[in-house]
Amino acid sequence: MDTNVAPPPERFNFARHLLELNSGRAAKTALIDDQGRLSYGELGDQVRRFAAALHALGLRREERVLLLMHDSSDWVVAFLGALHAGVVPVAVNTLLTAQDYAYMMANSRAQAALVSAALLPTLQTALDHLNTQGGHEVKHVIASRSTGALPEGVHHFTTLVGSHAAAAQAADTHGDEPAFWLYSSGSTGVPKGTVHTQANLYWTAELYGKGVLALREDDVVFSAAKLFFAYGLGNALSFPLTVGASVVLMAERPTPQACFKRFKELQPTVFYGAPTGYGGMLAAADLPNRSEVALRLCSSAGEALPQDIGQR
């Protein structure tokens, strides 16, 4: 591993950093999700447009926004657009309860909520609960991937992005400035909001994404861990986008069959999983043959990898 990585400049915005790194890859595929593909050029444009939309809604630097979304290109645009604007996304697990989200919105003092349309009813239950407890600070709800009419007052993510000109400049953030929050599991009490800086993303991408995994521009990466996990966020956003790779995103649960489908149809070269998931895949009757997949590297984390599973 190269330990002589140059530090980021003192004034550092990770979203701006990624867009600048990929300015020469406008036509290359950045993201592949369940609905289509987004090139690096399109990603940069949407990130800047979403940053402008957040400013237009009155969101200010360092204010928090809840990010409750299934993995998709919209998730990446929302996260990077918030960072670009200096707004702090609070990325939360999509499998929690309305009571959990009510606690997280109150604890983070979220000023807006970005939500997948399928999760909107759960979010609304959380907001209703907060209203019975004295109110909340959420002024705007923005829904992604809606196939029907949205409730009054809820913004449509695609419409919001498309209705604003791209922001000319990113927020002039400091490398040590808060960039995003992730909540702990709460195993030692109530979940705790852990604050990550703009430079944290840079260092993990440089030292682990490049230095340990040695990701390449020609890789197609796919992560079983979702973007709301720190593991998934690195796997499927900061690590691959730093080197100009392409990313496969999947909204559904990472069952063996869902993963096999992506392995065969989209031919990822790098897969990130956990020992339990690998065990399930190896036990599946429909495990693909080596000739059907393009994998060159599999990464494991989350728990100790048993020797027999690692060898198989």
Side-chain angles (χ1 to χ4, degrees), residues 6-288:
E10 182 178 349
R11 310 301 303 186
F12 181 74
N13 182 292
F14 185 75
R16 177 176 59 202
H17 170 68
L18 279 189
L19 300 189
E20 290 174 349
L21 285 177
N22 293 296
S23 61
R25 300 186 178 100
K28 186 178 190 292
T29 297
L31 307 173
I32 307 165
D33 70 9
D34 299 335
Q35 293 192 8
R37 296 173 180 246
L38 204 66
S39 70
Y40 272 102
E42 292 166 331
L43 174 62
D45 180 62
Q46 290 193 20
V47 165
R48 293 183 179 98
R49 286 175 179 270
F50 189 65
L54 290 175
H55 284 310
L57 291 175
L59 273 295
R60 297 178 297 180
R61 184 163 158 180
E62 294 194 27
E63 288 185 330
R64 272 77 62 200
V65 296
L66 191 80
L67 178 51
L68 172 61
M69 296 168 66
H70 293 131
D71 282 17
S72 68
S73 60
D74 284 357
W75 199 110
V76 178
V77 169
F79 182 85
L80 292 177
L83 264 60
H84 193 279
V87 173
V88 179
V90 180
V92 298
N93 190 324
T94 58
L95 302 175
L96 302 180
T97 67
Q99 186 173 357
D100 292 323
Y101 301 136
Y103 164 76
M104 291 171 180
M105 283 188 285
N107 181 259
S108 66
R109 295 178 57 198
Q111 301 297 301
L114 317 173
V115 60
S116 291
L119 297 168
L120 185 56
T122 305
L123 177 73
Q124 190 57 61
T125 299
L127 292 171
D128 291 343
H129 173 75
L130 287 173
N131 281 329
T132 66
Q133 302 297 312
H136 55 77
E137 298 186 42
V138 175
K139 301 176 181 66
H140 302 283
V141 175
I142 303 167
S144 161
R145 302 292 166 98
S146 172
T147 57
L150 291 171
E152 184 178 355
V154 176
H155 303 278
H156 195 293
F157 185 88
T158 301
T159 302
L160 195 64
V161 170
S163 61
H164 290 84
Q169 300 290 333
D172 186 27
T173 49
H174 192 284
D176 287 338
E177 192 168 316
F180 65 100
W181 289 23
L182 298 176
Y183 271 92
S184 67
S185 64
S187 57
T188 58
V190 296
K192 299 171 181 63
T194 59
V195 182
H196 301 257
T197 69
Q198 295 278 348
N200 286 160
L201 291 158
Y202 172 87
W203 283 115
T204 53
E206 291 293 325
L207 297 177
Y208 187 74
K210 288 183 180 180
V212 175
L213 297 177
L215 295 182
R216 309 186 309 229
E217 183 180 2
D218 62 348
D219 276 322
V220 177
V221 309
F222 175 39
S223 175
K226 298 301 184 181
L227 286 163
F228 59 73
F229 289 117
Y231 182 42
L233 182 64
N235 293 345
L237 196 156
S238 57
F239 302 164
L241 298 188
T242 292
V243 301
S246 300
V247 181
V248 174
L249 298 169
M250 179 177 72
E252 65 185 294
R253 292 180 59 229
T255 63
Q257 286 65 42
C259 292
F260 296 162
K261 175 180 170 65
R262 273 76 182 181
F263 289 166
K264 292 192 288 187
E265 293 182 359
L266 299 174
Q267 295 289 292
T269 59
V270 176
F271 176 69
Y272 316 87
T276 301
Y278 285 121
M281 290 182 193
L282 290 167
D286 54 345
L287 178 70

